[in-house]
């Protein structure tokens, strides 16, 4: 049993390897492909930000509720919390009197999925992995691109979501985060569930991007 556990690939490496295909698919969605080229306007960012408010409300609400659970505690890091930044960005991107951005069904479904698994530490951990390590990776490049396109300085309202004030250097922080993932006291079944749920989380993002882009018409 112990040997079996030792021989298993560590969770962070499994998450990276086993989400490689869905990561590529998410990266190649028409919305991401367009945004990464800098073809982005205020409406695009406002629409995306509105959907992320609902997703992060679910993610961060569920995370706080599990903060004392030992299988989860290590990866629950308050400095990652993005909800206040998202709300500030949405306000900054909205003109006075402008109609609210509709909440899309894909965002509602994503938030519901998070709430459905909120009592399962391994699955919630996978949702956190997918969003926060993504925000600290490709999200950093996207933040700079949006800043250039909209004439905003890094961290300014509108794009403050992309800057983590409490994290000085992203690379060592991500390395440490992967160590925490590897150290989470999960059973083999729970590790399998985490990997499975990370794939679900990527698909939720993909569905959201597809719906957002289809509105662009
Ligand atoms: C244009 C879109 C995207 C680009 C250019 C991009 C780029 C990257 C790059 C270069 C890395 C590797 C960083 C490193 O090893 O330090 C990475 C990692 C990651 N990305 Fe993305 N990404 C994109 C979209 C997404 C999306 C939509 C998600 C999920 C919501 C996501 C989630 C992740 C995760 C979880 C990692 C960490 C992988 C690991 O080390 O385990 N990415 N991304």
């Amino acid at each position: 049993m112990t040997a079996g556990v030792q021989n298993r690939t560590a969770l962070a490496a499994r998450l990276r390897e086993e989400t490689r295909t869905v990561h590529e698919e998410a990266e190649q969605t028409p919305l991401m492909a367009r945004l990464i080229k800098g073809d982005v306007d205020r409406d695009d960012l406002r629409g995306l930000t509105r959907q992320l408010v609902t997703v992060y409300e679910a993610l961060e609400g569920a995370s706080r509720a599990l903060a004392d659970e030992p299988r989860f505690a290590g990866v629950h890091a308050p400095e990652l919390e993005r909800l206040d930044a998202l709300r500030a960005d949405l306000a900054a991107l909205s003109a006075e009197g402008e109609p609210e951005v509709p909440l899309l069904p894909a965002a509602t479904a994503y938030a519901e999925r998070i709430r459905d698994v909120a009592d399962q530490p391994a699955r919630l951990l996978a949702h956190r992995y997918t969003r926060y390590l993504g925000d600290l990776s490709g999200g950093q490049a996207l933040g700079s691109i949006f800043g250039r396109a909209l004439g905003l300085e890094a961290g300014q309202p509108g794009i403050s979501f992309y800057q983590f004030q409490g994290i000085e250097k992203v690379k060592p922080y991500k390395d440490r985060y992967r160590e925490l993932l590897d150290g989470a006291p999960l059973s083999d079944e729970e590790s399998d569930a985490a990997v499975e749920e990370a794939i679900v989380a990527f698909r939720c993002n993909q569905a959201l991007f597809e719906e957002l882009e289809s509105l662009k018409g």
Side-chain angles (χ1 to χ4, degrees):
M1 168 88 185
T2 312
V5 169
Q6 281 169 353
N7 285 335
R8 281 177 71 91
T9 307
L11 182 57
R14 278 195 70 188
L15 285 166
R16 176 183 279 190
E17 290 310 315
E18 296 181 44
T19 61
R20 197 179 293 279
T21 305
V22 274
H23 184 275
E24 279 169 15
E25 285 167 10
E27 244 180 295
Q28 286 160 14
T29 52
L31 176 69
M32 283 296 129
R34 180 164 70 76
L35 298 188
I36 207 83
K37 282 191 293 187
D39 181 2
V40 50
D41 60 23
R42 184 186 65 99
D43 274 353
D44 289 319
L45 193 53
R46 185 169 177 253
L48 175 62
T49 304
R50 167 63 191 97
Q51 313 312 315
L52 291 181
V53 166
T54 288
V55 172
Y56 281 76
E57 272 168 0
L59 184 62
E60 296 183 356
S63 297
R64 267 193 298 275
L66 267 197
D68 295 329
E69 150 67 52
R71 283 166 295 170
F72 185 72
V75 294
H76 178 253
E79 68 274 12
L80 292 175
E81 296 209 341
R82 303 282 79 212
L83 194 50
D84 289 347
L86 281 169
R87 288 189 176 134
D89 289 346
L90 184 57
L93 294 166
S94 304
E96 222 181 298
E98 196 173 16
E100 280 188 15
V101 183
L103 177 63
L104 295 177
T108 305
Y110 188 174
E112 267 170 19
R113 176 69 191 187
I114 293 171
R115 278 192 279 269
D116 284 348
V117 301
D119 60 347
Q120 299 175 55
R123 289 188 185 267
L124 189 56
L125 180 151
H127 280 284
R128 290 181 65 86
Y129 160 81
T130 305
R131 278 304 328 181
Y132 294 122
L133 274 203
D135 296 336
L136 289 166
S137 301
Q140 296 296 291
L142 283 174
S144 310
I145 291 166
F146 296 160
R148 271 197 301 278
L150 302 178
L152 296 170
E153 297 287 326
Q156 261 189 288
I159 55 167
S160 68
F161 168 75
Y162 300 91
Q163 189 165 72
F164 289 77
Q165 295 291 358
I167 299 176
E168 211 178 315
K169 288 204 168 95
V170 164
K171 165 84 172 73
Y173 186 91
K174 288 198 296 185
D175 291 344
R176 173 80 188 124
Y177 199 80
R178 292 189 186 101
E179 285 169 19
L180 290 172
L181 286 170
D182 289 345
L186 302 180
S187 66
D188 290 354
E189 290 72 24
E190 286 173 321
S191 293
D192 291 345
V195 174
E196 189 182 271
E197 193 65 25
I199 292 170
V200 172
F202 270 95
R203 295 228 165 94
C204 287
N205 281 280
Q206 207 180 324
L208 177 58
F209 301 155
E210 278 161 10
E211 217 166 279
L212 270 168
E213 191 67 351
S214 74
L215 291 184
K216 196 82 179 165

